[in-house]
Amino acid sequence: MAQVRIQDRSSATPVAAATPRAPGNGDGRSGTAVITRTKPRTKRPNLYRVLLLNDDYTPMEFVVHVVERFFNKSREDATRIMLHVHQNGVGECGVFTYEVAETKVTQVMDFARKHQHPLQCVMEKK
Ligand code: TYC
């Protein structure tokens, strides 16, 4: 009986295997049948919070501008987030996949440095 491998198309990893058989019977085919999964298996990506940290020197108005500009928040929401960070020491600006979160952190840190403010932005796995 021919070997049958059942293969997950998304990972190319066989998920079950049946009786092995001797390779090549001379007909030019491998003697291996592959059954691919038809139902899509979508894996949820790891998500990361992007956080702002409070400090004593960065102007409130600068933080509001950062949150509007890099996290696409309204002035009202950005002000709420800034005040939350000011009062609690840390606050969430958004939740993103790894590469997007990393880009946000870099953009905020570069912008703060350019304006000589000590504002800190970090990411944290959810
Ligand atoms: N604490 C700062 C001040 O009083 C304001 C501030 C808010 C700084 C949020 C950083 O992430 C921050 N000027």
Side-chain angles (χ1 to χ4, degrees):
M1 179 217 181
Q3 180 182 357
V4 176
R5 290 190 299 138
I6 301 167
Q7 178 171 324
D8 180 337
R9 202 187 328 178
S10 63
S11 66
T13 304
V15 294
T19 326
R21 94 202 260 289
N25 65 358
D27 69 0
R29 298 183 299 159
S30 69
T32 299
V34 176
I35 299 167
T36 50
R37 200 190 290 282
T38 51
K39 187 178 170 200
R41 275 288 147 95
T42 48
K43 290 179 282 184
R44 292 182 310 256
N46 291 321
L47 294 177
Y48 296 79
R49 295 189 175 92
V50 174
L51 308 172
L52 282 179
L53 308 184
N54 190 38
D55 67 73
D56 292 339
Y57 306 103
T58 305
M60 290 185 173
E61 184 50 42
F62 183 82
V63 179
V64 172
H65 177 68
V66 162
V67 177
E68 285 182 281
R69 175 169 172 156
F70 296 109
F71 299 96
N72 308 311
K73 300 294 190 189
S74 66
R75 174 146 286 250
E76 293 71 28
D77 283 352
T79 303
R80 269 191 280 278
I81 291 168
M82 181 281 295
L83 284 174
H84 176 94
V85 176
H86 177 69
Q87 289 159 8
N88 297 278
V90 59
E92 182 182 296
C93 297
V95 176
F96 307 98
T97 56
Y98 183 87
E99 286 195 347
V100 175
E102 199 181 37
T103 300
K104 302 279 182 196
V105 169
T106 301
Q107 287 174 332
V108 171
M109 294 298 285
D110 287 353
F111 191 66
R113 172 173 290 212
K114 177 172 135 186
H115 292 272
Q116 300 190 305
H117 295 310
L119 180 63
Q120 295 291 304
C121 183
V122 299
M123 59 194 273
E124 172 192 277
K125 194 167 189 293
K126 279 200 77 163

